[in-house]
Amino acid sequence: MSVDFSGAWARLWAPQPVDLTAGQWVILLVLVLGLVLPRPVWRITGMYSTLVHELGHVISALFTGRFVTGLRLGWDHSGEVVSRGRGKTSVIISGIFGYPTPLLVSAALLWATASGYAGRALGIYALFFVLVLVFVRNWPAFVVCSASALIALGVVFFAPVSAYIYLALLLGGFLLCSGIRDYFKVLSVHTWRRRDIEQSDAYLIARATGTFATLWLLVIMVLGGAGIFLGVQSLLRLL
């Protein structure tokens, strides 16, 4: 099977207007909820949400001048990004962009789809997963990252243009719902599940900077709220 790069580029660059029926929207909604709500399914799909979370740490760390030495995932949905750098600012910025990242990526995918750029968004999306393989340091991270990149690249190069819209909406909807689910999780860690407080990014930032976890939890909540607001706005444009 040959890969037609020029043809794929042309398909990605061409605008893809969204004109779905009510039935198609219902199917997408059922698929998204089916990927997020059932616990047996979430054990698998939650790994993908964790990867996007950790990618937020990787990208924000790189933008603040930190040297990223590794990305690891656990089959229990745990994740770790190891980086080196100086200054509390880089610690704060690289720390807060974990939980908000699935919601912000969802907002970007939904905006791109609503604007007719689903193909371009998927191309960039796939490229990120290919590049992040450089930082992968264990098998769970390699498996999840490789699968994500292969699926996105497979759709980009071999699927019809109409599939771009469905995949972009499915990914956007999944990350929106999974991001909200993870926000409830981190809120529970700071309230009635404080035995797991060391898993919270807000706690880790506070410990590294000598500040209060509540402050950074509030910042994380505001960033996530912005992602939800922008994502919902794009969904309303699509409906």
Side-chain angles (χ1 to χ4, degrees), residues 110-135:
L110 294 173
W111 173 85
T113 305
S115 302
Y117 306 136
R120 303 179 207 184
L122 287 176
I124 297 171
Y125 191 79
L127 181 61
F128 267 114
F129 282 107
V130 172
L131 294 176
V132 84
L133 282 169
V134 174
F135 304 107

Side-chain angles (χ1 to χ4, degrees), residues 83-194:
S83 64
R84 298 198 305 267
R86 294 182 178 181
K88 292 183 177 179
T89 301
S90 66
V91 172
I92 293 169
I93 294 176
S94 62
I96 62 176
F97 281 100
Y99 285 104
T101 297
L103 294 169
L104 294 173
V105 172
S106 168
L109 281 170
L110 294 173
W111 173 85
T113 305
S115 302
Y117 306 136
R120 303 179 207 184
L122 287 176
I124 297 171
Y125 191 79
L127 181 61
F128 267 114
F129 282 107
V130 172
L131 294 176
V132 84
L133 282 169
V134 174
F135 304 107
V136 164
R137 294 294 182 272
N138 71 345
W139 278 109
F142 177 78
V143 170
V144 178
C145 194
S146 298
S148 302
L150 288 172
I151 291 171
L153 288 172
V155 171
V156 165
F157 286 114
F158 303 114
V161 173
S162 58
Y164 297 168
I165 293 171
Y166 295 115
L167 181 59
L169 289 174
L170 185 63
L171 287 173
F174 170 78
L175 290 174
L176 179 62
C177 293
S178 63
I180 293 172
R181 176 173 179 151
D182 285 339
Y183 263 66
F184 279 110
K185 176 183 175 181
V186 74
L187 280 174
S188 71
V189 165
H190 282 267
T191 51
W192 65 86
R193 288 176 49 200
R194 293 191 63 83

Side-chain angles (χ1 to χ4, degrees), residues 19-39:
D19 185 21
L20 302 184
T21 65
Q24 290 170 321
W25 280 112
V26 170
I27 292 172
L28 280 170
L29 177 61
V30 170
L31 286 174
V32 167
L33 295 180
L35 291 172
V36 175
L37 295 182
R39 286 189 178 183

